[in-house]
Amino acid sequence: MTISSELFKAIMRNYPTGVAIVTTVYDNEYYGLTVNSFTSLSLDPPLVLIAIDKKLTSHEAINKSNVYAVNILPDDMKDLAIRFATAPREERFRGLKIKTAKTGSPIIEGAIAYLDCKVAAKYPGGDHTIFIGEVIDAQVMNNKLPLIYYNRGYYSIKQTISL
Ligand SMILES: Cc1cc2nc3c(=O)[nH]c(=O)nc-3n(C[C@H](O)[C@H](O)[C@H](O)COP(=O)(O)O)c2cc1C
């Protein structure tokens, strides 16, 4: 017996996450999408993972380029999170200040931090692929507060309950 996708989504909606834009460069073209499946995996060596829907253009790009960068979004970049989840690919990088990471993946100015990764392994995950990334370079760029995704909405952390 499996649960319905409605129940699955209703459960997962209660689990808040940060928000990142994952970028890559393939065939001299930039690709990027909004992601919340990002998590750290290993400290030594430094590994992260993202899970990407096999149907997406970005899946093909990352699968072929074998590199990606994770741009961690601050709470003043909600509009960019929406843009990288919904706008046509040609419009996503329009007007953005970009620098290039060591892998060639684009880094978005205004992001809190980035991790530049080489794909170290790929695992099947149902309708997604898990791309394990070995972090080859990284930088914290500012001390802004992170953007939070919860119950299909965007939030900021305004209050500390406990330290
Ligand atoms: C907050 C948020 C988190 C998302 N996380 C993921 C994710 O982890 N993996 C994924 O495949 N799609 C995720 N998506 C959906 C993609 O951002 C969306 O399908 C995007 O349009 C894909 O771009 P592409 O079609 O150019 O590849 C997320 C969307 C939002 C709004």
Side-chain angles (χ1 to χ4, degrees), residues 14 43 45 51 77 119 142 162:
N14 295 288
L43 199 53
M77 292 181 90
V119 173
N142 58 61
S162 167

Side-chain angles (χ1 to χ4, degrees), residues 19-21 34 71-75 77 80-81 108 111-112 145-147:
V19 184
I21 293 176
T34 301
N71 295 260
I72 297 176
L73 292 190
D75 61 5
M77 292 181 90
L80 212 59
I108 297 166
I112 297 175
L145 290 173
L147 182 63

Side-chain angles (χ1 to χ4, degrees), residues 3-20:
I3 62 161
S4 70
S5 49
E6 285 67 35
L7 174 59
F8 189 46
K9 287 193 259 181
I11 302 290
M12 294 312 294
R13 236 169 253 148
N14 295 288
Y15 195 68
T17 65
V19 184

Side-chain angles (χ1 to χ4, degrees), residues 32-37 51-53 56-58 84-86 92 128 149 154:
L33 81 164
T34 301
V35 158
N36 68 347
S37 59
I52 304 296
D53 191 324
L56 298 179
T57 316
S58 306
F84 275 79
T86 59
R92 293 190 187 176
H128 284 49
Y149 190 69
Y154 293 92

